[in-house]
Amino acid sequence: MFAHKTILILLAFVLFVNALPMRHGRRGTCRPHSSVSVPSTGAATAPDVNVGGNTPPVVTGDVDDATTTVKSAPTTVKDEPTSIVKDKPTSIVKDKPTSIVKEPSTSAKPTKSSSDSSSEPTSTKPPPSTGGSGNSKLSSLFPVPGFSKSWSTSPLAENPLDLSDATLKPTRLLSALSHDFVSAPDGKKAMKAHFPKGSYTFTHQPQGGLSFYAPGPDSVDLSTAKEATFGYSVYFDAGFAFNKGGKLPGIYGGNSDSEAISCSGGRRSTACFSARLMWRGEGAGEFYTYLPPYTDARFAANRKQCNVAPQSDCNPTYGASVGRGAFKFASGQWTTVSERVRLNDVGKANGELELFVNGKSVISVSGLILRDSSAGRMRGIQMQTFFGGSSPDFASPKSQNVYFSDFSVAITDSL
């Protein structure tokens, strides 16, 4: 009997001892999976952490590092059972700074945006406003980039001026000739020059063409230019009869306004110069220049303009035909020309002339003398066109027209 009671007492003691660790184990013992069956009491924050079944990684260091951490995180998160993510103790979630937990998704956006921006095609960016480098017609009028001052009547220019006398400011007009502003055959606004049948030069009847000098807007003073460009578009009537040739506008200059108009019509002077254009038979184009005469030893360097391919012709009386046939004027369509004139330093033969046709350089001559004094300056546009030559065989074979438009001037280097 005693033995039976002893066994019962020992059994009860064992049960009592075993019961004590179980109660304390739920409060203080860390069993690896004891929390699996215990629902989290902090469920209010769980959905933010658990978006898409992925747990954001714990981010250390600067927020900018989050992008790198986020990219490597999905591999670990995907391998983690969903049930474990849901049942993580709330205390661990609360220990993560909220701003950093949310940052990976937002910090990744600026990085992507920056990358996208740098890879945008150039065509989506606004084109440059100077010279219209993105437009071939405008760049043909302004073939030398980086100019400081300019004006243009081309509709393609950023702030085009009106094609009118108010812009050109003509002086010394031949009153018998008109320069009407009309619509060219294609509808473009233009200045019209009319050549009656039989007209040549300005001293014979009937008179044809037009003649005046134009300084242009006061804001672009060519007398301050060391180098300048003058461009325009010219349209010869369809079926235009070029005959033996005729003159076209260009830049002129000299020691004063009055002396500057002295270099044309067989009048030569060391105090002036002009660089006009000319058409020849079948529309062959050329520079037509009056420079200080190469027959004077002081200006012997100017003889090099007589040797420009494909053909040049110099004579002691009239202007020099330079680079004849280097290009052709079209009829029934526009041709865009632009000349670059660079003054020489006084006492040096380093002046330059260059001609661009539809944006392509076709004639270029360097080592010239355009002036022998610091008073020698560019003065403006010599707006002249007529058939001639000084003999009747140059006369216009029929009544016909030439149209001018897109007058454009730029100072590319200043004195």
Side-chain angles (χ1 to χ4, degrees), residues 2 37-38 40 66 75 83-84 108 130 133 136 151 167 206 218 225 242 287 289 311 314 317 345 356 384 408 411:
F2 176 79
S37 60
V38 181
S40 172
T75 303
S83 60
I84 296 178
T130 56
S133 61
S136 58
W151 62 267
T167 295
D218 293 337
F242 291 100
F287 252 132
T289 68
Q311 180 184 351
C314 292
T317 304
D345 295 317
F356 298 82
Q384 288 184 336
S408 303
I411 295 177

Side-chain angles (χ1 to χ4, degrees), residues 310-346:
Q311 180 184 351
S312 295
D313 180 26
C314 292
N315 67 77
T317 304
Y318 295 103
S321 174
V322 182
R324 183 186 305 176
F327 67 101
K328 280 192 172 185
F329 289 103
S331 64
Q333 66 185 69
W334 293 98
T335 301
T336 300
V337 296
S338 185
E339 60 181 37
R340 179 180 67 87
V341 176
R342 184 172 185 83
L343 298 179
N344 61 288
D345 295 317
V346 177

